[in-house]
Amino acid sequence: MKMTIKDIAKLAGVSTTTVSKVMNGKDESISDATKDRIKKIMKENNYTPSVVARSLVTKRTNTIGLIIPDIRNPFFPELARGAEDMASKAGYTIIFCNADNNLSKEDEYLKVLSEKMVDGIIIAVSSKREDQFEKITETSMPIILVDRDIDIDMKCIKGRVITDNFKGACIGVEHMISNGMEKILFISGPLTNKASFERLEGYKSALENHNIDFDQDLLLEGEFNENWGYEAAAIAIEKNLDFDGVFCGNDLIAIGAIKSFKGKGIRIPQDISIVGFDDIYVSSMIEPELTTIRQPKYEMGYRAVEMLIDILEGKKAEQKRLVLQPDIVIRESVKKK
Amino acid sequence: MKMTIKDIAKLAGVSTTTVSKVMNGKDESISDATKDRIKKIMKENNYTPSVVARSLVTKRTNTIGLIIPDIRNPFFPELARGAEDMASKAGYTIIFCNADNNLSKEDEYLKVLSEKMVDGIIIAVSSKREDQFEKITETSMPIILVDRDIDIDMKCIKGRVITDNFKGACIGVEHMISNGMEKILFISGPLTNKASFERLEGYKSALENHNIDFDQDLLLEGEFNENWGYEAAAIAIEKNLDFDGVFCGNDLIAIGAIKSFKGKGIRIPQDISIVGFDDIYVSSMIEPELTTIRQPKYEMGYRAVEMLIDILEGKKAEQKRLVLQPDIVIRESVKKK
DNA sequence: TTGAAAGCGCTAACAG
DNA sequence: CTGTTAGCGCTTTCAA
């Protein structure tokens, strides 16, 4: 049978209060003698306190909920790891949930996490979420939005951690321009998606900075996956579009596009240069290795948890919006000038 | 302030006992009238019970700990997802922990999970773990080993879910042999690793089945990563080894090897055929797409949790060993006969 | 068909 | 320096 605080107290000949105090380091007022005795007994009996009993009284579980679309999406393992690292460093534990971009699953998880009394939640919301977090409003667990931002204002949303998509796209396109490309095709993800939209703005801005007119024909909109990249590249060729560089909405698109181009005998980067977005781990494994805009995925998870914990422990103000800066990872898919 | 069972009881004009009963479906003996009234009030007030209070009395948290080396390792997202899916289906929640193949981190997590009173643990143990799970023995949380097996026998280890490495290697090597290869290089991971060792045995067995002598020179031992694959391929060429196929300890090795060969002008699969192991996400994205032995990663996670829950709910016997069958995914890296 | 009472393992005033 | 007491929100006999 598992030991309880009572057992330890009895063995040490003290009250549970005393044991509780030394256990929690609130032992300024306890004599070294009893302190040591209690510690010794706890160790000998391999005693571990029940955090559920503790939580019942303290109202803190030292547990954080992490809701993401799907851990199999190559974007999220890094983020999850960053979150877990920070959490574990601060003595928290993470419950992880895959909601598949599905609103009702998200709501369901929100409910479960609330029942489990997590201290707070980090969530990469479904792109479909435009409404409020109905079920959760009143319980007021603090929530930090990560990766995906939405334009809703609720008291329970205590912060956001996102990356600067506009800037990232700018950097990527500028990189191609500075290497001599002038006609840059943009194979975009869905433009209803905020991130996509911002990347498009960044793309336009970079062009503008170099006095290149935006050409609507060079914008192809589709999904954030390899198939779309493959298809879009085929369309571009079929339509006989005139371009020397391709900026892709994300790495998956870039990977599909590269495959498509190579299949048609077009060489990367000799004939066409390509830049991706995200820097998922595959990107360095394909051929040519992909030049891409790196999102600080690990850091996003890390910072989000840090922000949450700061709020939980009353160290920081709320409603912060942290915009992380992407950077470019130069590999082999852009022809050097 | 959050509602408690007392508040609901008061509003409904009944005792907490009654509320508790209808909440938990133990309501055979409650009149429909009060049942409905209570349910209505719970809904109206958006009441969610505190599972920590409940856990304190029931001794069940409906929470499972999942300890893996690193979610960023492409092997684990699938496994984790499988675990989470099964857990969530059964009304459990998963706390996830990255232990980095580090014994003391593992022990630390084991301790934390025990304090949090998880109902059981799924763990892909560190390859370094040969001793017992010291810290955990007596608390006797049920543990299921997944992916990595170890030869220790403890009462707390209630089951194992692994894949048949021997068989997998056999299938892979046979596939090459049946396509005409006769001299097959094996670029292995560390042979101290049990999985590696079993794959080597499978490799040998396949050769033997076809009356091909095992040639010690065709065995190269290193690490389970891309760099080693790259390096090993270079070594093989430098040493002027005579081979027409390469069986790799895992996909990462295969990816490195392919890159290395291609860099030296050797064509895959025209000049040399290659087979990997695992079927990680990247494998279908590289060029040529990798023919490989698929481990049922998702299923491993899924089955492990299923097994654990069966044990927790007293449905099944213990100490089971579930060996999942790998299969071959034929893509482009083996030359057709 | 319902409720009173005890207790899960711990923390937190407060008193001594 | 240490202990008494009450209580966190729930479940569970047992009695009514």
Side-chain angles (χ1 to χ4, degrees), chain A residues 4-5 17 20 24 26 47 50 54:
Chain A
T4 75
I5 195 173
T17 312
S20 172
N24 294 295
K26 304 182 178 175
Y47 168 73
S50 159
R54 194 202 322 270

Side-chain angles (χ1 to χ4, degrees), chain A residues 148-327:
Chain A
R148 313 193 178 176
D149 199 6
I150 43 176
D151 287 322
I152 64 179
D153 185 33
M154 293 178 66
K155 48 236 160 288
C156 62
I157 298 182
K158 303 297 188 190
R160 300 157 198 255
V161 180
I162 51 180
T163 92
D164 193 334
N165 288 297
F166 178 90
K167 182 82 163 296
C170 256
I171 295 173
V173 174
E174 299 246 349
H175 177 70
M176 286 196 271
I177 294 175
S178 69
N179 276 288
M181 285 101 231
E182 293 180 324
K183 288 157 289 182
I184 300 173
L185 175 68
F186 182 25
I187 306 182
S188 173
L191 288 169
T192 47
N193 177 300
K194 199 172 174 189
S196 276
F197 184 76
E198 291 169 354
R199 288 171 200 176
L200 172 58
E201 293 301 303
Y203 162 84
K204 286 179 179 171
S205 164
L207 294 182
E208 202 179 322
N209 291 344
H210 294 269
N211 300 309
I212 302 177
D213 286 337
F214 168 68
D215 178 353
Q216 184 70 41
D217 289 340
L218 290 183
L219 168 61
L220 264 25
E221 178 188 359
E223 297 303 313
F224 269 139
N225 59 41
E226 213 192 333
N227 280 344
W228 163 239
Y230 193 91
E231 192 187 329
I235 291 173
I237 293 170
E238 196 180 324
K239 279 196 178 171
N240 236 310
L241 296 182
D242 182 23
F243 59 97
D244 46 17
V246 183
F247 181 60
C248 298
N250 73 359
D251 286 352
L252 258 15
I253 292 178
I255 289 168
I258 288 177
K259 200 172 269 184
S260 188
F261 286 132
K262 282 167 77 176
K264 297 202 165 50
I266 295 170
R267 297 164 307 163
I268 317 291
Q270 295 88 336
D271 301 327
I272 286 181
S273 292
I274 296 197
V275 171
F277 205 108
D278 281 353
D279 192 32
I280 57 180
Y281 84 97
V282 206
S283 305
S284 63
M285 296 194 170
I286 60 166
E287 205 177 353
E289 293 184 13
L290 186 65
T291 289
T292 188
I293 303 303
R294 189 184 74 86
Q295 285 206 59
K297 301 173 282 296
Y298 179 94
E299 198 185 355
M300 279 176 109
Y302 194 92
R303 294 280 171 218
V305 170
E306 187 178 51
M307 188 182 276
L308 179 59
I309 292 176
D310 278 350
I311 289 166
L312 290 174
E313 306 191 340
K315 284 183 200 152
K316 286 267 174 66
E318 313 184 341
Q319 291 290 7
K320 208 161 103 182
R321 187 188 163 90
L322 179 60
V323 180
L324 265 23
Q325 292 308 308
D327 49 25

Side-chain angles (χ1 to χ4, degrees), chain A residues 35-195:
Chain A
K35 214 184 297 184
D36 293 343
R37 183 156 36 94
I38 291 173
K39 281 182 181 167
K40 183 154 155 278
I41 292 177
M42 293 201 298
K43 189 153 296 173
E44 281 172 4
N45 293 75
N46 220 308
Y47 168 73
T48 51
S50 159
V51 330
V52 357
R54 194 202 322 270
S55 295
L56 187 55
V57 16
T58 60
K59 304 298 179 215
R60 306 293 293 330
T61 52
N62 275 44
T63 301
I64 292 171
L66 173 67
I67 305 181
I68 56 175
D70 188 356
I71 192 70
R72 291 172 299 189
N73 175 329
F75 188 85
F76 292 107
E78 290 254 8
L79 189 152
R81 184 45 138 104
E84 211 262 311
D85 279 0
M86 178 61 213
S88 133
K89 187 175 158 193
Y92 286 73
T93 240
I94 286 200
I95 291 185
F96 105 114
C97 314
N98 298 275
D100 287 325
N101 257 322
N102 178 145
L103 282 184
S104 64
K105 275 198 184 183
E106 265 180 25
D107 284 336
E108 179 57 26
Y109 276 120
L110 251 8
K111 180 169 153 251
V112 172
L113 291 174
S114 143
E115 288 180 358
K116 297 227 171 180
M117 304 239 297
V118 297
D119 295 334
I121 289 179
I122 310 287
I123 180 171
V125 296
S126 159
S127 40
K128 289 158 210 146
R129 185 173 294 281
E130 287 151 13
D131 59 334
Q132 310 288 75
F133 292 98
E134 300 176 47
K135 311 293 170 74
I136 219 69
T137 325
E138 49 271 284
T139 83
S140 80
M141 285 177 302
I143 294 181
I144 306 282
L145 262 30
V146 72
D147 179 36
R148 313 193 178 176
D149 199 6
I150 43 176
D151 287 322
I152 64 179
D153 185 33
M154 293 178 66
K155 48 236 160 288
C156 62
I157 298 182
K158 303 297 188 190
R160 300 157 198 255
V161 180
I162 51 180
T163 92
D164 193 334
N165 288 297
F166 178 90
K167 182 82 163 296
C170 256
I171 295 173
V173 174
E174 299 246 349
H175 177 70
M176 286 196 271
I177 294 175
S178 69
N179 276 288
M181 285 101 231
E182 293 180 324
K183 288 157 289 182
I184 300 173
L185 175 68
F186 182 25
I187 306 182
S188 173
L191 288 169
T192 47
N193 177 300
K194 199 172 174 189

